[in-house]
Amino acid sequence: MAVVPAFFGLLLAVIVSGQNVEITPREAVVRVGGELTVLCKVPYPIDSCRITVGTTSYRLRPDNLQGDVVYTGQGLQSGECGALIKNILDDWTGNVTCVLPPQTGSIEIKGTMKLIVARPPAPPVLETPPQASFRDGDKFTAQCIVPDGRPAAKISWFLGEEELLHGVHQPILSSEPGSDLQTIRQNVSRTLTDDDDNKILVCRAEHLALERPMEAKRQLIVQYPPKRQEFGTITIFGLKLGAEGRLNVTVRANPRPTAEWTVGDQVLQAPRRTEAGDFVALEPLPLGNGFYNVTLIVARVAKEDVDRTYYLRVDNGLGREEFAVRISTMDEPAGVELDTGAIVGIVVGVLIVLIAVSLGVFAFATDRWCFAGRSHRTDIPDGADSEAPLPPHDDIKGSENPSHDHGDYITNGDTKHPEKKPDTAV
């Protein structure tokens, strides 16, 4: 009879040894001083619950809730061995192991999860090309390095208020031998434009152990030739004869442009005035973000001033732009503004016209509706059978000189008699 208990003990040992511990969570990242709940579970009652955190092993009991590591769960009879780990320390990074021995037998099974105690990284470092400024169209590459975080920090890129999503390379992680601290590196590439001028490039590092993100910055200076904001001839409206007039032209450039006005045969390099003082060219006035206001003052607007064209040339060493400027004593024409209803009405009207034209073309091509009978003869005498076939073209009388084959009829009383008119030479 001693064989039976031995058999069941062996069977239980086989079953227990084949069990896996269900452990939740498998991995966790927690700040120093934070809390973590780990639950290990098997589908049979257990004799005890042991948890190893760091280098210390804890024997946990449901009736003892004192200390930094205490029991949590539905009880040993439910096969649950849970631990509430309070006030996590930095050196607890590593594996958390639970040991669950069965109520009978000597085989214990274990479950392990990975605990990462977050450590803040060092401040980010932004590496960029050494030159102080760039040109419109230059290829620009920068690298952000955030060292010694646990786990690695997260990097985000911003240019001005816009987050950069295009041109961002895959991050690269590295660590020193024997260290669990990670350094992250990430590059960003971009073709610079005039819109990037004076914007600030930001590398932002975020990490669980940081109260707020850390940033590394650099302002980009992008130089570009003058660029006009209006195309074609510029007309300045609203000037009055006999009063002062100002011709204002807005241009964008970096570096600052110079301005040269041509009035008739006079050339004014700003800032300068004519000898008579009737025209004054002002120095370009910066408006911010690379915009400049270039102004020519007409001391007293006369009729000949309205009739002429003024020419402006701006240059900043990288390029030049030329403008033709006219002035007018009329008010600037108001733009036509259409609300949504008017726009919808116009679109519907256009569609109706297109449909009507299409139907008309279809009817004309297929002899339908109002175009029906368009190809039938109209010179059939009264009482003739309209269904009779037309005679062959060659049998028509007068075909030798068809332009003189008249189909006119002379009315005599109630009877119509066809009158044959003599042919006349052509």
Side-chain angles (χ1 to χ4, degrees):
M1 296 299 293
V3 176
V4 175
F7 173 76
F8 281 107
L10 179 60
L11 180 61
L12 180 61
V14 171
I15 295 175
V16 170
S17 63
Q19 292 289 338
N20 291 322
V21 177
E22 179 184 341
I23 184 168
T24 308
R26 293 285 183 181
E27 182 175 312
V29 180
V30 187
R31 300 176 64 171
V32 172
E35 293 186 350
L36 174 66
T37 298
V38 179
L39 178 62
C40 300
K41 185 175 181 180
V42 290
Y44 54 85
I46 55 177
D47 178 65
S48 62
C49 172
R50 294 204 309 274
I51 297 287
T52 300
V53 182
T55 59
T56 306
S57 180
Y58 300 86
R59 185 180 179 89
L60 305 181
R61 300 201 311 268
D63 57 352
N64 182 9
L65 301 180
Q66 300 298 319
D68 288 337
V69 182
V70 297
Y71 179 86
T72 183
Q74 299 298 318
L76 302 181
Q77 290 297 320
S78 299
E80 292 189 359
C81 175
L84 172 60
I85 307 172
K86 307 175 185 178
N87 193 26
I88 289 179
L89 304 177
D90 181 74
D91 59 0
W92 284 359
T93 289
N95 291 332
V96 174
T97 303
C98 55
V99 181
L100 293 80
Q103 288 183 335
T104 59
S106 58
I107 298 178
E108 298 178 336
I109 61 174
K110 299 179 181 180
T112 301
M113 61 87 60
K114 185 176 182 179
L115 171 61
I116 301 174
V117 181
R119 174 180 287 185
V125 177
L126 181 59
E127 295 184 350
T128 60
Q131 63 260 41
S133 62
F134 306 89
R135 293 284 186 89
D136 183 15
D138 280 355
K139 302 295 184 182
F140 175 84
T141 299
Q143 183 179 75
C144 183
I145 305 172
V146 187
D148 300 337
R150 189 173 63 211
K154 176 189 174 185
I155 293 177
S156 300
W157 292 92
F158 293 85
L159 185 59
E161 300 298 323
E162 176 190 2
E163 182 176 3
L164 296 180
L165 301 176
H166 299 288
V168 178
H169 299 221
Q170 287 293 327
I172 298 175
L173 301 180
S174 62
S175 59
E176 296 294 331
S179 173
D180 60 357
L181 303 181
Q182 291 184 310
T183 295
I184 182 171
R185 291 176 171 84
Q186 190 174 45
N187 289 4
V188 65
S189 299
R190 182 178 181 86
T191 300
L192 298 177
T193 69
D194 58 311
D195 290 330
D196 298 330
D197 183 37
N198 284 323
K199 289 187 178 180
I200 297 179
L201 179 68
V202 178
C203 161
R204 179 177 297 172
E206 298 176 276
H207 195 273
L208 178 64
L210 294 173
E211 295 296 334
R212 62 182 60 86
M214 297 187 295
E215 295 180 345
K217 305 177 181 180
R218 178 184 173 173
Q219 186 175 28
L220 300 181
I221 305 299
V222 181
Q223 296 183 339
Y224 49 93
K227 298 189 177 184
R228 63 191 304 151
Q229 305 304 303
E230 302 176 64
F231 294 94
T233 301
I234 300 173
T235 302
I236 310 297
F237 291 95
L239 276 64
K240 298 185 181 298
L241 293 175
E244 179 185 273
R246 287 177 174 257
L247 285 65
N248 295 315
V249 177
T250 302
V251 64
R252 193 178 189 191
N254 186 29
R256 185 189 191 113
T258 59
E260 180 183 275
W261 288 90
T262 301
V263 184
D265 57 354
Q266 302 182 85
V267 178
L268 298 178
Q269 184 74 37
R272 186 183 171 189
R273 69 174 60 231
T274 59
E275 293 182 1
D278 48 350
F279 296 100
V280 180
L282 300 182
E283 187 174 1
L285 177 66
L287 303 176
N289 292 328
F291 289 96
Y292 292 87
N293 190 34
V294 185
T295 303
L296 176 70
I297 299 177
V298 183
R300 189 179 181 87
V301 178
K303 184 178 183 303
E304 58 268 22
D305 297 326
V306 178
D307 295 336
R308 66 162 50 105
T309 299
Y310 303 81
Y311 296 96
L312 168 64
R313 174 183 294 175
V314 292
D315 192 318
N316 69 348
L318 299 180
R320 66 176 54 179
E321 190 68 68
E322 297 183 352
F323 305 82
V325 184
R326 299 294 300 265
I327 62 177
S328 173
T329 57
M330 300 177 60
D331 293 333
E332 184 173 1
V336 179
E337 296 184 1
L338 299 177
D339 57 16
T340 303
I343 295 175
V344 172
I346 292 174
V347 172
V348 172
V350 171
L351 289 177
I352 291 175
V353 171
L354 291 176
I355 292 173
V357 171
S358 300
L359 291 176
V361 172
F362 174 76
F364 182 82
T366 58
D367 293 335
R368 297 185 180 220
W369 305 322
C370 59
F371 297 102
R374 176 173 57 89
S375 61
H376 297 288
R377 292 183 60 189
T378 57
D379 58 347
I380 301 175
D382 292 345
D385 188 1
S386 61
E387 300 295 331
L390 295 175
H393 183 73
D394 293 339
D395 296 338
I396 298 177
K397 186 176 182 180
S399 61
E400 297 84 354
N401 192 2
S403 59
H404 294 279
D405 185 16
H406 301 282
D408 296 339
Y409 288 82
I410 300 176
T411 303
N412 183 13
D414 294 334
T415 306
K416 296 181 181 179
H417 302 282
E419 179 189 39
K420 177 65 177 180
K421 296 183 180 181
D423 290 340
T424 58
V426 178

